Amino acid sequence: MNKPIQSRPIWPEHRFRAMGSAMGLWVEADQPLAREAFGQVEALFAANERVLSRFDPASELSRLNARSGQWVNISPLLRDVLDRALALAKETSGLFDPTILPALEAAGYTHSFELIASGNIVWAPESPTYPKGRWAEIKLDGQHVYLPQDVRIDLGGIAKGYTAGQAVDWLRRLGPCLVDAGGDVVAGEAPTGMPGWPVSLTAPWTGDDVTEQHLLMVWLRQASIATSGIDWRRWLHRGRSAHHLIDPRSGRPAETDVLTATVLDADPARAEGWATAALVLGMEGGMATLSDGDMAGALVDAYRQIRLNPPMQMHIMWQSA
Amino acid sequence: MTNSSTSKPQKRNTDPLSSGLKAALVIGSLAASVVGARLVALKDATTTITSTKPAVVVYPAPQAQPGMSDTTSGSVPRILPVIPTVIVPAPMPISPITSTRSSR
């Protein structure tokens, strides 16, 4: 890979792990102010994880999931994220479905991926059947929610992007900022003298050459770019290969020719939700659906074919050969 | 065109714009000059076109095919070397600060 033409400025930066993923924060501000703000954002991610994580039995979400079939009072945070998830389910015609938790558990995703990857998991007995499409039966009334019997929620599909959006709103008080929440990247204003934050899309394939390969680059400004993929979170479950992106139509890990689906949108949760939906639909269906909705998308398949639609091409400032 | 065995001596055709001119094939290497360019007619050896105006010269398209010989000119064509082409991606204008990827 040729060296970049221009070296970029060094901005205050902070790295940490949260929600099972690597996080990155950048802000164009003085170091002391940036350091303080970074600490507050890291605390924000930890606080949201205590509410939204299905892996924590004490989280508010876990307690809600244990009380299906009755009205439950919930916090403004959980209410807002759930509301966004249901709106995305409606917008994607159920291809993004927050009620897939039973299907995830049936596929073996019963614990955090870090634990699964460690190999120290004893698989639970087969989970009950996933109740397909019942997201539409969930009722929200003010701060109260009703989950139909046996319906349980997973918010892993949008929790990172949602929290990253909150983090940008917090950091932007100091200046131009960028938040990378496990690959879901949310940008505030552009840094001084630049059209945006330079963010690349990396290739999902690895091989003998494990050096990170950049496929394209965008200037990200006041927008989000999110990637869903089956290239990393994969495991063997009961002798079968499995991954974490469930096709709500089958209730099983999506059988798709897409390795990664990337969507650029003003809203981080929407970018995440549609990236998942596009991956489930496959190269042809996914790209057609994104294009029909005028959503900027890039799909990559196992044959190293990259497909971009015109709305995404408008954002691209560099692309590998 | 007339039969060569019974043809009368043909008048020299000094008019290059005559509609009776026949197309001639140019084979082999040609001397590239405006005046005195020579056309070699294959089909009708009796037709000689002379003109004070430059004739149309048709250069053969380069076809470097190994083993092919040009029997009409008697010369062996040069086989052009194949230059390997390597596509080098343009360098990135700037190094990315981070990348979007599936969660890890």
PDB file of all heavy atoms in Angstrom, chain A residues 2 4-6 8 21-22 180 182-183 198 200 217 227 231-233 318, chain B residues 87-104:
ATOM      1  N   ASN A   2       0.648   2.178  -0.945  1.00  0.00           N
ATOM      2  CA  ASN A   2       1.442   3.393  -0.983  1.00  0.00           C
ATOM      3  C   ASN A   2       1.191   4.248   0.233  1.00  0.00           C
ATOM      4  O   ASN A   2       0.114   4.251   0.807  1.00  0.00           O
ATOM      5  CB  ASN A   2       1.078   4.185  -2.239  1.00  0.00           C
ATOM      6  CG  ASN A   2       1.559   3.502  -3.496  1.00  0.00           C
ATOM      7  OD1 ASN A   2       2.570   2.802  -3.471  1.00  0.00           O
ATOM      8  ND2 ASN A   2       0.837   3.657  -4.577  1.00  0.00           N
ATOM      9  N   PRO A   4       0.225   7.442   2.337  1.00  0.00           N
ATOM     10  CA  PRO A   4      -0.690   8.544   2.057  1.00  0.00           C
ATOM     11  C   PRO A   4       0.088   9.788   1.648  1.00  0.00           C
ATOM     12  O   PRO A   4       1.226   9.996   2.065  1.00  0.00           O
ATOM     13  CB  PRO A   4      -1.416   8.750   3.378  1.00  0.00           C
ATOM     14  CG  PRO A   4      -1.279   7.456   4.088  1.00  0.00           C
ATOM     15  CD  PRO A   4       0.044   6.911   3.693  1.00  0.00           C
ATOM     16  N   ILE A   5      -0.586  10.606   0.825  1.00  0.00           N
ATOM     17  CA  ILE A   5       0.071  11.808   0.335  1.00  0.00           C
ATOM     18  C   ILE A   5       0.298  12.806   1.472  1.00  0.00           C
ATOM     19  O   ILE A   5       1.330  13.434   1.571  1.00  0.00           O
ATOM     20  CB  ILE A   5      -0.787  12.439  -0.781  1.00  0.00           C
ATOM     21  CG1 ILE A   5      -0.814  11.502  -1.992  1.00  0.00           C
ATOM     22  CG2 ILE A   5      -0.281  13.810  -1.153  1.00  0.00           C
ATOM     23  CD1 ILE A   5      -1.757  11.926  -3.083  1.00  0.00           C
ATOM     24  N   GLN A   6      -0.717  12.952   2.294  1.00  0.00           N
ATOM     25  CA  GLN A   6      -0.671  13.989   3.326  1.00  0.00           C
ATOM     26  C   GLN A   6      -0.778  13.354   4.702  1.00  0.00           C
ATOM     27  O   GLN A   6      -1.622  12.507   4.940  1.00  0.00           O
ATOM     28  CB  GLN A   6      -1.853  14.940   3.103  1.00  0.00           C
ATOM     29  CG  GLN A   6      -2.038  16.010   4.157  1.00  0.00           C
ATOM     30  CD  GLN A   6      -3.376  16.749   4.005  1.00  0.00           C
ATOM     31  OE1 GLN A   6      -4.014  16.668   2.957  1.00  0.00           O
ATOM     32  NE2 GLN A   6      -3.804  17.443   5.024  1.00  0.00           N
ATOM     33  N   ARG A   8      -1.851  13.507   8.562  1.00  0.00           N
ATOM     34  CA  ARG A   8      -2.953  14.248   9.158  1.00  0.00           C
ATOM     35  C   ARG A   8      -2.554  14.774  10.531  1.00  0.00           C
ATOM     36  O   ARG A   8      -1.612  14.291  11.149  1.00  0.00           O
ATOM     37  CB  ARG A   8      -4.183  13.338   9.260  1.00  0.00           C
ATOM     38  CG  ARG A   8      -3.960  12.040   9.983  1.00  0.00           C
ATOM     39  CD  ARG A   8      -5.299  11.341  10.237  1.00  0.00           C
ATOM     40  NE  ARG A   8      -5.080  10.008  10.737  1.00  0.00           N
ATOM     41  CZ  ARG A   8      -4.762   9.754  11.991  1.00  0.00           C
ATOM     42  NH1 ARG A   8      -4.616  10.730  12.851  1.00  0.00           N
ATOM     43  NH2 ARG A   8      -4.587   8.505  12.383  1.00  0.00           N
ATOM     44  N   SER A  21     -16.773  -4.257  22.658  1.00  0.00           N
ATOM     45  CA  SER A  21     -16.116  -3.763  21.440  1.00  0.00           C
ATOM     46  C   SER A  21     -15.055  -2.728  21.771  1.00  0.00           C
ATOM     47  O   SER A  21     -15.054  -2.152  22.855  1.00  0.00           O
ATOM     48  CB  SER A  21     -17.154  -3.134  20.505  1.00  0.00           C
ATOM     49  OG  SER A  21     -18.153  -4.074  20.151  1.00  0.00           O
ATOM     50  N   ALA A  22     -14.179  -2.499  20.798  1.00  0.00           N
ATOM     51  CA  ALA A  22     -13.147  -1.485  20.938  1.00  0.00           C
ATOM     52  C   ALA A  22     -13.734  -0.130  20.582  1.00  0.00           C
ATOM     53  O   ALA A  22     -14.390   0.021  19.554  1.00  0.00           O
ATOM     54  CB  ALA A  22     -11.982  -1.810  20.006  1.00  0.00           C
ATOM     55  N   ASP A 180     -15.853   6.314  17.548  1.00  0.00           N
ATOM     56  CA  ASP A 180     -15.855   5.010  16.891  1.00  0.00           C
ATOM     57  C   ASP A 180     -16.312   3.996  17.930  1.00  0.00           C
ATOM     58  O   ASP A 180     -15.578   3.697  18.871  1.00  0.00           O
ATOM     59  CB  ASP A 180     -14.449   4.673  16.382  1.00  0.00           C
ATOM     60  CG  ASP A 180     -14.364   3.265  15.781  1.00  0.00           C
ATOM     61  OD1 ASP A 180     -15.367   2.532  15.791  1.00  0.00           O
ATOM     62  OD2 ASP A 180     -13.283   2.907  15.300  1.00  0.00           O
ATOM     63  N   GLY A 182     -16.932   0.505  18.175  1.00  0.00           N
ATOM     64  CA  GLY A 182     -16.810  -0.853  17.640  1.00  0.00           C
ATOM     65  C   GLY A 182     -17.022  -0.933  16.153  1.00  0.00           C
ATOM     66  O   GLY A 182     -17.541  -1.922  15.647  1.00  0.00           O
ATOM     67  N   GLY A 183     -16.629   0.114  15.414  1.00  0.00           N
ATOM     68  CA  GLY A 183     -16.771   0.094  13.967  1.00  0.00           C
ATOM     69  C   GLY A 183     -17.956   0.890  13.475  1.00  0.00           C
ATOM     70  O   GLY A 183     -18.071   1.150  12.274  1.00  0.00           O
ATOM     71  N   PRO A 198     -11.391  11.707   8.150  1.00  0.00           N
ATOM     72  CA  PRO A 198     -11.090  10.660   7.178  1.00  0.00           C
ATOM     73  C   PRO A 198     -11.322   9.269   7.773  1.00  0.00           C
ATOM     74  O   PRO A 198     -10.605   8.854   8.685  1.00  0.00           O
ATOM     75  CB  PRO A 198      -9.607  10.892   6.874  1.00  0.00           C
ATOM     76  CG  PRO A 198      -9.060  11.571   8.082  1.00  0.00           C
ATOM     77  CD  PRO A 198     -10.185  12.345   8.690  1.00  0.00           C
ATOM     78  N   SER A 200     -12.065   5.145   6.868  1.00  0.00           N
ATOM     79  CA  SER A 200     -11.980   4.146   5.798  1.00  0.00           C
ATOM     80  C   SER A 200     -12.917   2.982   6.074  1.00  0.00           C
ATOM     81  O   SER A 200     -13.425   2.813   7.184  1.00  0.00           O
ATOM     82  CB  SER A 200     -10.546   3.618   5.672  1.00  0.00           C
ATOM     83  OG  SER A 200     -10.224   2.807   6.796  1.00  0.00           O
ATOM     84  N   MET A 217     -12.353   5.348   1.260  1.00  0.00           N
ATOM     85  CA  MET A 217     -12.294   6.321   2.340  1.00  0.00           C
ATOM     86  C   MET A 217     -13.313   7.429   2.066  1.00  0.00           C
ATOM     87  O   MET A 217     -13.517   7.831   0.920  1.00  0.00           O
ATOM     88  CB  MET A 217     -10.889   6.904   2.452  1.00  0.00           C
ATOM     89  CG  MET A 217     -10.632   7.555   3.784  1.00  0.00           C
ATOM     90  SD  MET A 217      -8.927   7.411   4.368  1.00  0.00           S
ATOM     91  CE  MET A 217      -8.018   8.043   2.994  1.00  0.00           C
ATOM     92  N   THR A 227     -21.149  -0.638   9.940  1.00  0.00           N
ATOM     93  CA  THR A 227     -20.906  -1.868   9.184  1.00  0.00           C
ATOM     94  C   THR A 227     -21.401  -3.069   9.974  1.00  0.00           C
ATOM     95  O   THR A 227     -21.053  -3.229  11.141  1.00  0.00           O
ATOM     96  CB  THR A 227     -19.409  -2.031   8.877  1.00  0.00           C
ATOM     97  OG1 THR A 227     -18.986  -0.957   8.045  1.00  0.00           O
ATOM     98  CG2 THR A 227     -19.136  -3.348   8.162  1.00  0.00           C
ATOM     99  N   ASP A 231     -17.996 -11.592   9.129  1.00  0.00           N
ATOM    100  CA  ASP A 231     -16.605 -11.972   8.926  1.00  0.00           C
ATOM    101  C   ASP A 231     -15.868 -12.207  10.229  1.00  0.00           C
ATOM    102  O   ASP A 231     -14.816 -12.841  10.238  1.00  0.00           O
ATOM    103  CB  ASP A 231     -15.888 -10.859   8.139  1.00  0.00           C
ATOM    104  CG  ASP A 231     -15.995  -9.502   8.825  1.00  0.00           C
ATOM    105  OD1 ASP A 231     -17.097  -9.153   9.322  1.00  0.00           O
ATOM    106  OD2 ASP A 231     -14.994  -8.774   8.863  1.00  0.00           O
ATOM    107  N   TRP A 232     -16.386 -11.684  11.322  1.00  0.00           N
ATOM    108  CA  TRP A 232     -15.617 -11.743  12.567  1.00  0.00           C
ATOM    109  C   TRP A 232     -16.314 -12.548  13.653  1.00  0.00           C
ATOM    110  O   TRP A 232     -15.746 -13.479  14.199  1.00  0.00           O
ATOM    111  CB  TRP A 232     -15.343 -10.314  13.061  1.00  0.00           C
ATOM    112  CG  TRP A 232     -14.470 -10.248  14.263  1.00  0.00           C
ATOM    113  CD1 TRP A 232     -14.844  -9.988  15.550  1.00  0.00           C
ATOM    114  CD2 TRP A 232     -13.043 -10.451  14.313  1.00  0.00           C
ATOM    115  NE1 TRP A 232     -13.757 -10.031  16.398  1.00  0.00           N
ATOM    116  CE2 TRP A 232     -12.644 -10.310  15.656  1.00  0.00           C
ATOM    117  CE3 TRP A 232     -12.086 -10.756  13.343  1.00  0.00           C
ATOM    118  CZ2 TRP A 232     -11.315 -10.439  16.058  1.00  0.00           C
ATOM    119  CZ3 TRP A 232     -10.767 -10.879  13.762  1.00  0.00           C
ATOM    120  CH2 TRP A 232     -10.404 -10.719  15.089  1.00  0.00           C
ATOM    121  N   ARG A 233     -17.555 -12.205  13.963  1.00  0.00           N
ATOM    122  CA  ARG A 233     -18.263 -12.877  15.051  1.00  0.00           C
ATOM    123  C   ARG A 233     -18.876 -14.181  14.527  1.00  0.00           C
ATOM    124  O   ARG A 233     -20.062 -14.247  14.180  1.00  0.00           O
ATOM    125  CB  ARG A 233     -19.341 -11.971  15.647  1.00  0.00           C
ATOM    126  CG  ARG A 233     -18.735 -10.722  16.242  1.00  0.00           C
ATOM    127  CD  ARG A 233     -19.573 -10.014  17.261  1.00  0.00           C
ATOM    128  NE  ARG A 233     -18.761  -8.970  17.897  1.00  0.00           N
ATOM    129  CZ  ARG A 233     -19.015  -8.419  19.052  1.00  0.00           C
ATOM    130  NH1 ARG A 233     -20.071  -8.808  19.742  1.00  0.00           N
ATOM    131  NH2 ARG A 233     -18.231  -7.489  19.541  1.00  0.00           N
ATOM    132  N   TRP A 318     -11.602   8.417  -1.831  1.00  0.00           N
ATOM    133  CA  TRP A 318     -10.513   7.570  -2.294  1.00  0.00           C
ATOM    134  C   TRP A 318     -11.022   6.145  -2.329  1.00  0.00           C
ATOM    135  O   TRP A 318     -11.813   5.729  -1.476  1.00  0.00           O
ATOM    136  CB  TRP A 318      -9.305   7.661  -1.375  1.00  0.00           C
ATOM    137  CG  TRP A 318      -8.206   6.692  -1.734  1.00  0.00           C
ATOM    138  CD1 TRP A 318      -7.202   6.888  -2.631  1.00  0.00           C
ATOM    139  CD2 TRP A 318      -8.023   5.355  -1.222  1.00  0.00           C
ATOM    140  NE1 TRP A 318      -6.403   5.772  -2.704  1.00  0.00           N
ATOM    141  CE2 TRP A 318      -6.883   4.807  -1.863  1.00  0.00           C
ATOM    142  CE3 TRP A 318      -8.716   4.574  -0.304  1.00  0.00           C
ATOM    143  CZ2 TRP A 318      -6.422   3.529  -1.607  1.00  0.00           C
ATOM    144  CZ3 TRP A 318      -8.268   3.287  -0.034  1.00  0.00           C
ATOM    145  CH2 TRP A 318      -7.123   2.773  -0.697  1.00  0.00           C
TER     146      TRP A 318
ATOM    147  N   ILE B  87      -1.218  -2.686 -12.014  1.00  0.00           N
ATOM    148  CA  ILE B  87      -2.098  -1.599 -11.589  1.00  0.00           C
ATOM    149  C   ILE B  87      -1.757  -1.239 -10.151  1.00  0.00           C
ATOM    150  O   ILE B  87      -1.876  -2.063  -9.249  1.00  0.00           O
ATOM    151  CB  ILE B  87      -3.571  -2.020 -11.693  1.00  0.00           C
ATOM    152  CG1 ILE B  87      -3.916  -2.337 -13.144  1.00  0.00           C
ATOM    153  CG2 ILE B  87      -4.481  -0.911 -11.171  1.00  0.00           C
ATOM    154  CD1 ILE B  87      -5.309  -2.889 -13.341  1.00  0.00           C
ATOM    155  N   VAL B  88      -1.304  -0.048  -9.972  1.00  0.00           N
ATOM    156  CA  VAL B  88      -0.948   0.418  -8.636  1.00  0.00           C
ATOM    157  C   VAL B  88      -2.021   1.385  -8.165  1.00  0.00           C
ATOM    158  O   VAL B  88      -2.299   2.374  -8.836  1.00  0.00           O
ATOM    159  CB  VAL B  88       0.422   1.129  -8.657  1.00  0.00           C
ATOM    160  CG1 VAL B  88       0.771   1.629  -7.261  1.00  0.00           C
ATOM    161  CG2 VAL B  88       1.492   0.203  -9.191  1.00  0.00           C
ATOM    162  N   PRO B  89      -2.682   1.079  -7.059  1.00  0.00           N
ATOM    163  CA  PRO B  89      -3.718   1.999  -6.599  1.00  0.00           C
ATOM    164  C   PRO B  89      -3.111   3.348  -6.261  1.00  0.00           C
ATOM    165  O   PRO B  89      -1.975   3.434  -5.800  1.00  0.00           O
ATOM    166  CB  PRO B  89      -4.274   1.316  -5.339  1.00  0.00           C
ATOM    167  CG  PRO B  89      -3.371   0.200  -5.021  1.00  0.00           C
ATOM    168  CD  PRO B  89      -2.500  -0.078  -6.185  1.00  0.00           C
ATOM    169  N   ALA B  90      -3.898   4.373  -6.545  1.00  0.00           N
ATOM    170  CA  ALA B  90      -3.452   5.710  -6.194  1.00  0.00           C
ATOM    171  C   ALA B  90      -3.276   5.798  -4.691  1.00  0.00           C
ATOM    172  O   ALA B  90      -4.035   5.203  -3.933  1.00  0.00           O
ATOM    173  CB  ALA B  90      -4.487   6.738  -6.659  1.00  0.00           C
ATOM    174  N   PRO B  91      -2.254   6.501  -4.241  1.00  0.00           N
ATOM    175  CA  PRO B  91      -2.058   6.614  -2.794  1.00  0.00           C
ATOM    176  C   PRO B  91      -3.234   7.336  -2.146  1.00  0.00           C
ATOM    177  O   PRO B  91      -3.877   8.181  -2.758  1.00  0.00           O
ATOM    178  CB  PRO B  91      -0.755   7.421  -2.675  1.00  0.00           C
ATOM    179  CG  PRO B  91      -0.614   8.127  -3.971  1.00  0.00           C
ATOM    180  CD  PRO B  91      -1.257   7.275  -5.005  1.00  0.00           C
ATOM    181  N   MET B  92      -3.490   6.967  -0.907  1.00  0.00           N
ATOM    182  CA  MET B  92      -4.559   7.647  -0.177  1.00  0.00           C
ATOM    183  C   MET B  92      -4.152   9.100   0.033  1.00  0.00           C
ATOM    184  O   MET B  92      -2.996   9.389   0.327  1.00  0.00           O
ATOM    185  CB  MET B  92      -4.774   6.963   1.175  1.00  0.00           C
ATOM    186  CG  MET B  92      -5.408   5.595   1.065  1.00  0.00           C
ATOM    187  SD  MET B  92      -5.835   4.921   2.686  1.00  0.00           S
ATOM    188  CE  MET B  92      -4.219   4.450   3.276  1.00  0.00           C
ATOM    189  N   PRO B  93      -5.104  10.024  -0.086  1.00  0.00           N
ATOM    190  CA  PRO B  93      -4.754  11.433   0.109  1.00  0.00           C
ATOM    191  C   PRO B  93      -4.341  11.721   1.542  1.00  0.00           C
ATOM    192  O   PRO B  93      -3.595  12.666   1.793  1.00  0.00           O
ATOM    193  CB  PRO B  93      -6.041  12.171  -0.265  1.00  0.00           C
ATOM    194  CG  PRO B  93      -7.124  11.168  -0.126  1.00  0.00           C
ATOM    195  CD  PRO B  93      -6.517   9.836  -0.444  1.00  0.00           C
ATOM    196  N   ILE B  94      -4.822  10.903   2.471  1.00  0.00           N
ATOM    197  CA  ILE B  94      -4.532  11.119   3.880  1.00  0.00           C
ATOM    198  C   ILE B  94      -4.767   9.799   4.599  1.00  0.00           C
ATOM    199  O   ILE B  94      -5.569   8.975   4.154  1.00  0.00           O
ATOM    200  CB  ILE B  94      -5.452  12.232   4.446  1.00  0.00           C
ATOM    201  CG1 ILE B  94      -5.005  12.664   5.841  1.00  0.00           C
ATOM    202  CG2 ILE B  94      -6.904  11.798   4.473  1.00  0.00           C
ATOM    203  CD1 ILE B  94      -5.702  13.925   6.325  1.00  0.00           C
ATOM    204  N   SER B  95      -4.048   9.562   5.678  1.00  0.00           N
ATOM    205  CA  SER B  95      -4.269   8.291   6.381  1.00  0.00           C
ATOM    206  C   SER B  95      -5.567   8.385   7.190  1.00  0.00           C
ATOM    207  O   SER B  95      -5.849   9.418   7.804  1.00  0.00           O
ATOM    208  CB  SER B  95      -3.088   7.973   7.296  1.00  0.00           C
ATOM    209  OG  SER B  95      -2.897   9.004   8.226  1.00  0.00           O
ATOM    210  N   PRO B  96      -6.343   7.316   7.205  1.00  0.00           N
ATOM    211  CA  PRO B  96      -7.622   7.384   7.933  1.00  0.00           C
ATOM    212  C   PRO B  96      -7.380   7.435   9.438  1.00  0.00           C
ATOM    213  O   PRO B  96      -6.422   6.868   9.956  1.00  0.00           O
ATOM    214  CB  PRO B  96      -8.320   6.080   7.522  1.00  0.00           C
ATOM    215  CG  PRO B  96      -7.222   5.156   7.118  1.00  0.00           C
ATOM    216  CD  PRO B  96      -6.134   6.009   6.561  1.00  0.00           C
ATOM    217  N   ILE B  97      -8.256   8.118  10.114  1.00  0.00           N
ATOM    218  CA  ILE B  97      -8.167   8.194  11.570  1.00  0.00           C
ATOM    219  C   ILE B  97      -8.702   6.918  12.194  1.00  0.00           C
ATOM    220  O   ILE B  97      -8.257   6.493  13.253  1.00  0.00           O
ATOM    221  CB  ILE B  97      -8.907   9.436  12.094  1.00  0.00           C
ATOM    222  CG1 ILE B  97      -8.608   9.633  13.579  1.00  0.00           C
ATOM    223  CG2 ILE B  97     -10.404   9.364  11.838  1.00  0.00           C
ATOM    224  CD1 ILE B  97      -9.061  10.970  14.109  1.00  0.00           C
ATOM    225  N   THR B  98      -9.672   6.301  11.562  1.00  0.00           N
ATOM    226  CA  THR B  98     -10.219   5.029  11.995  1.00  0.00           C
ATOM    227  C   THR B  98     -10.958   4.422  10.819  1.00  0.00           C
ATOM    228  O   THR B  98     -10.990   5.011   9.734  1.00  0.00           O
ATOM    229  CB  THR B  98     -11.150   5.208  13.224  1.00  0.00           C
ATOM    230  OG1 THR B  98     -11.440   3.913  13.775  1.00  0.00           O
ATOM    231  CG2 THR B  98     -12.457   5.900  12.848  1.00  0.00           C
ATOM    232  N   SER B  99     -11.525   3.241  11.067  1.00  0.00           N
ATOM    233  CA  SER B  99     -12.233   2.586   9.974  1.00  0.00           C
ATOM    234  C   SER B  99     -13.533   1.985  10.472  1.00  0.00           C
ATOM    235  O   SER B  99     -13.661   1.624  11.655  1.00  0.00           O
ATOM    236  CB  SER B  99     -11.361   1.487   9.368  1.00  0.00           C
ATOM    237  OG  SER B  99     -11.061   0.511  10.345  1.00  0.00           O
ATOM    238  N   THR B 100     -14.493   1.912   9.571  1.00  0.00           N
ATOM    239  CA  THR B 100     -15.725   1.209   9.892  1.00  0.00           C
ATOM    240  C   THR B 100     -15.531  -0.252   9.543  1.00  0.00           C
ATOM    241  O   THR B 100     -14.918  -0.578   8.528  1.00  0.00           O
ATOM    242  CB  THR B 100     -16.937   1.815   9.152  1.00  0.00           C
ATOM    243  OG1 THR B 100     -18.115   1.105   9.564  1.00  0.00           O
ATOM    244  CG2 THR B 100     -16.798   1.724   7.646  1.00  0.00           C
ATOM    245  N   ARG B 101     -16.029  -1.139  10.402  1.00  0.00           N
ATOM    246  CA  ARG B 101     -15.827  -2.573  10.222  1.00  0.00           C
ATOM    247  C   ARG B 101     -16.858  -3.271  11.099  1.00  0.00           C
ATOM    248  O   ARG B 101     -17.476  -2.631  11.969  1.00  0.00           O
ATOM    249  CB  ARG B 101     -14.411  -2.967  10.648  1.00  0.00           C
ATOM    250  CG  ARG B 101     -14.140  -2.703  12.136  1.00  0.00           C
ATOM    251  CD  ARG B 101     -12.732  -2.159  12.376  1.00  0.00           C
ATOM    252  NE  ARG B 101     -12.564  -1.774  13.778  1.00  0.00           N
ATOM    253  CZ  ARG B 101     -12.886  -0.576  14.262  1.00  0.00           C
ATOM    254  NH1 ARG B 101     -13.388   0.348  13.465  1.00  0.00           N
ATOM    255  NH2 ARG B 101     -12.717  -0.298  15.535  1.00  0.00           N
ATOM    256  N   SER B 102     -17.000  -4.561  10.867  1.00  0.00           N
ATOM    257  CA  SER B 102     -17.933  -5.286  11.721  1.00  0.00           C
ATOM    258  C   SER B 102     -17.364  -5.333  13.134  1.00  0.00           C
ATOM    259  O   SER B 102     -16.142  -5.344  13.324  1.00  0.00           O
ATOM    260  CB  SER B 102     -18.173  -6.688  11.177  1.00  0.00           C
ATOM    261  OG  SER B 102     -16.976  -7.419  11.135  1.00  0.00           O
ATOM    262  N   SER B 103     -18.222  -5.332  14.094  1.00  0.00           N
ATOM    263  CA  SER B 103     -17.862  -5.143  15.490  1.00  0.00           C
ATOM    264  C   SER B 103     -16.870  -6.179  15.980  1.00  0.00           C
ATOM    265  O   SER B 103     -17.028  -7.367  15.750  1.00  0.00           O
ATOM    266  CB  SER B 103     -19.143  -5.217  16.335  1.00  0.00           C
ATOM    267  OG  SER B 103     -18.883  -4.782  17.637  1.00  0.00           O
ATOM    268  N   ARG B 104     -15.837  -5.710  16.673  1.00  0.00           N
ATOM    269  CA  ARG B 104     -14.839  -6.627  17.242  1.00  0.00           C
ATOM    270  C   ARG B 104     -14.119  -5.986  18.417  1.00  0.00           C
ATOM    271  O   ARG B 104     -14.355  -4.828  18.711  1.00  0.00           O
ATOM    272  CB  ARG B 104     -13.814  -7.017  16.189  1.00  0.00           C
ATOM    273  CG  ARG B 104     -13.041  -5.866  15.593  1.00  0.00           C
ATOM    274  CD  ARG B 104     -12.364  -6.261  14.299  1.00  0.00           C
ATOM    275  NE  ARG B 104     -13.320  -6.512  13.253  1.00  0.00           N
ATOM    276  CZ  ARG B 104     -13.021  -7.096  12.083  1.00  0.00           C
ATOM    277  NH1 ARG B 104     -11.802  -7.515  11.851  1.00  0.00           N
ATOM    278  NH2 ARG B 104     -13.933  -7.299  11.162  1.00  0.00           N
TER     279      ARG B 104
END
